[in-house]
Structure formats: structure tokens, C-alpha cells
Amino acid sequence: MSDIAWPLYGHAAAEQDVLGAMESGRLHHAWLIEGPSGIGKALFARRLAAVLLGAKRVNGNTLDVPASDPVVEKMAAGGHPDFRWLAREPNEKGKLPLFIPVDSVREDLVNFFTLKPALGGKRVCVVDAVDELNASGANALLKSLEEPPPNCVLILIYHGQRAVLATIRSRCRRLKLELLSDDEMEAALKSAGGSASDKAKSIAKGRPGLALELSEPDALSGLSAADAVLRSLDRGVMRDVPSAFAQVTKSDLSFRAFSIGLLEGLATRASDAPHLASAWLWVSNVLDHATRDSMDRGQTTAKLLSGLQERSRAA
């Protein structure tokens, strides 16, 4: 599949749903692609967008399109006039905002859809991801769903990390993407040209994108800190808290990996140590509140480590 743009493994049923809608002439104006992060939703969205914009499929059973197709080349270069990819972008300090700015939603989605397709086909906008819209952004998006312009298709990626407005969900055709099988996972990793550690693959469980992310150096630092904290909980004594804090707060990626590794480890241990089930729930709540209240990773890490230190003493 080396000459295929954005090769995808798994998700054949979802592709057949889309192809069936296209062939029937009843293509919906909005699609909600949902499933856990790291399973290929963004790849699926790019492949679908390319076909909607006129890229020629290599066969009738998939959304495979050649990497050399002019539509694909324009999309890859960021120069297709009828395509927008709406996502969080780093600010001048290199930090990602918590939400996609509402001004971006209005400019790259709402206003973009008021214009006629420049190349005479369709206009397509992908929102990556609807989880990262605040209330103002979600309401701005809803306007385009309530009064869908002709020849425009909206593709929403949804990780399931935050509730999506029922009014948005009800106006979209849903595509549920599932975890990949072990064989599909290995094929996807090989195709991506990256190597994933055994630890990362074990945690990712059918999510090749997550496995690759967790194999980055900063992510491995965060996973190492999670392992150290979990071992401390096993012993009933927290050790080297300053070292763990430094590892976790190195970057957003190290913090994310720590959070994932900690929750995974607590869940695994809870069957043999039921008191850790309450620790898992507490950690999960802290992370949810941190996201909601825009706490930085230093504040959140300090709260997690101090709280777990108290729990280890009480165990």
C-alpha cells in the first residue's frame, strides 16, 4: 500500500457504509467519525475527504486513492481551495490551546461553507476533534448543521473524551470505528514506518497511533514515572517524588503518557487490590477536573502525586 495516500488498516465496515451512501446518491451532509484515539479516525477522514473532492479511487471496494492524485497532492500541500482541516494550532509560545478557537470555527467552517466550491465540486471541512470545541465553538458549528449549505460536507472526528451536544450528534450520520486486531495493528505500525515499544503496544491495545505516540522519548519518560509510582503504591511507600514530578512535567506528551500509564496500571491492579479501584476513580476525576478547569500539568501532577502519597500511607 506504499503508493496509496493515507493507507488505513481495519474499519472496512465503516468504509462500506460511506461508499454505499455515495453510490446511492444519498450522501449525508455531516458525518461523525467516533472511536478511541489512535485507531485511524484522522486517516479515515482524509481518505473520505479526498474522494469527496474528486480523487480517483483505485478500486470500488475501498476509499484507497493514489498518493500521486492531484487532489491528494493539493490536500497534502495545504493548497486545496475547497478543503479545510480545523484543529488546535500551537500559539506563538508553541503551546496548544485547550480548545479550537471559536474564531477559527467561524472562519474555516461557517464562512468557508458560505462560498461556492472553487473547483466546481464539493467543499469539505474536517473538525479534529469535536471534543476540542468549547460551548461557543460547538454552537457556531451547529449553525452550519442546522442550515447545511449545498455541496458542502462536514466531517467531525470524535474521541469520546467530552460529551458532544445532542443537537450536533442528531444531525450527523455516525460511523463507529473499532479497535484494530493484533494483525491489523502490526500492519498499521509497519506501514507507518515507526517502531513501538512492547510497553506502548500493550497499553495501546489496538490503537496504533497511540502506540507510536507512547513510544516517543518524552512519552517513555512519562510511562517510566507511572511505573515508579505504581511500584510505590504496591510497596505502600512513595519514593523519589521529585524525580517523578520532573519526568512527568517535562512536556505535554510526558504528562499524557503518565496519565495513561497510571490509569492503565491502577485498572490492572484493582482486581487483586480492590482499594486501588477507588484510586483509579480518584485519579480519573482529578484528570477530568484538570481539563475542565484548565489546570496546567505542573499543578495536576503535584495534586496527583501528593494524593497518591497520602493513599500509599493509608493503605
Side-chain angles (χ1 to χ4, degrees), residues 46 64 73-74 82 97-99 120 155 167 172 232 267 302-303:
R46 288 190 187 277
D64 286 350
E73 291 179 341
K74 286 186 177 68
D82 294 324
L98 186 59
F99 299 108
I155 303 172
T167 44
C172 297
S232 294
K303 184 170 184 176

Side-chain angles (χ1 to χ4, degrees), residues 74-139:
K74 286 186 177 68
M75 289 174 62
H80 198 297
D82 294 324
F83 177 65
R84 292 289 185 276
W85 189 277
L86 185 57
R88 294 182 297 161
E89 298 289 345
N91 59 23
E92 62 276 5
K93 296 182 179 180
K95 186 171 180 60
L96 281 174
L98 186 59
F99 299 108
I100 297 172
V102 64
D103 288 344
S104 296
V105 178
R106 292 182 179 127
E107 179 63 28
D108 291 327
L109 171 56
V110 180
N111 293 343
F112 174 67
F113 275 177
T114 64
L115 304 174
K116 292 182 179 180
L119 301 183
K122 288 182 170 60
R123 295 212 134 187
V124 179
C125 179
V126 177
V127 178
D128 182 16
V130 70
D131 311 66
E132 294 163 3
L133 294 173
N134 60 16
S136 297
N139 286 326

Side-chain angles (χ1 to χ4, degrees), residues 198-230:
D198 290 340
K199 174 75 171 178
K201 287 191 283 188
S202 174
I203 292 175
K205 292 184 177 68
R207 294 170 285 174
L210 180 59
L212 291 171
E213 182 182 9
L214 293 179
S215 298
E216 294 290 328
D218 278 8
L220 292 174
S221 179
L223 290 179
S224 175
D227 285 341
V229 169
L230 290 165

Side-chain angles (χ1 to χ4, degrees), residues 259-288:
S259 304
I260 292 171
L262 184 60
L263 288 172
E264 173 74 14
L266 288 171
T268 300
R269 286 165 167 76
S271 58
D272 296 323
H275 70 282
L276 292 181
S278 64
W280 181 95
L281 182 61
W282 178 79
V283 169
S284 181
N285 286 334
V286 169
L287 292 171
D288 286 344

